[in-house]
Amino acid sequence: MYEAGVVEATDFPADSRYHGIPTRSFTAPDGRQFPYLARRFAPPPEVFATIGWRQLAEGERLDQIAAETIGNPEAFWLICDANRALWPEDLAAAGTELRLTLPAGVPAPEEE
């Protein structure tokens, strides 16, 4: 469907880390076109509002924490972005302190 142009290659759900990332196209020497996603740059952690901290327990995974704190296990990448990690494995060691945040651009609630 990508090749036929029926489905836009950037048709990712709004909660996907790839939502809004443009597609590019590579033309091989034989003329074949290969669509691909442009590189995604993680936002700087400063754009995230901290809502808490959590120490990773032995055997715990980011998808479990994302399910518990965000409500979506597939949103583990938000935890990665907020902690400057490219890969979930970078935050997998027991005892790692995780910064839990709101999504980029969502301000923290005002304190009364």
Side-chain angles (χ1 to χ4, degrees):
M1 294 183 79
Y2 287 120
E3 293 173 18
V6 176
V7 175
E8 173 62 36
T10 59
D11 193 21
F12 290 94
D15 61 351
S16 169
R17 76 178 103 185
Y18 301 112
H19 180 74
I21 302 294
T23 56
R24 304 276 192 254
S25 183
F26 170 75
T27 303
D30 63 5
R32 290 182 297 156
Q33 296 274 322
F34 295 95
Y36 65 95
L37 286 175
R39 182 173 177 188
R40 174 187 178 268
F41 291 95
E46 296 77 31
V47 302
F48 298 99
T50 302
I51 57 173
W53 297 87
R54 178 174 181 155
Q55 197 168 44
L56 192 66
E58 185 69 39
E60 227 176 1
R61 298 187 322 259
L62 291 188
D63 62 326
Q64 295 168 322
I65 294 170
E68 181 185 315
T69 60
I70 300 169
N72 180 357
E74 293 180 355
F76 67 88
W77 59 272
L78 288 168
I79 297 171
C80 288
D81 283 357
N83 289 276
R84 290 191 191 268
L86 292 178
W87 307 102
E89 297 81 21
D90 295 342
L91 301 172
T96 300
E97 189 163 30
L98 300 174
R99 178 178 171 227
L100 303 176
T101 68
L102 295 171
V106 176
E110 291 186 25
E111 305 232 357
E112 295 182 22

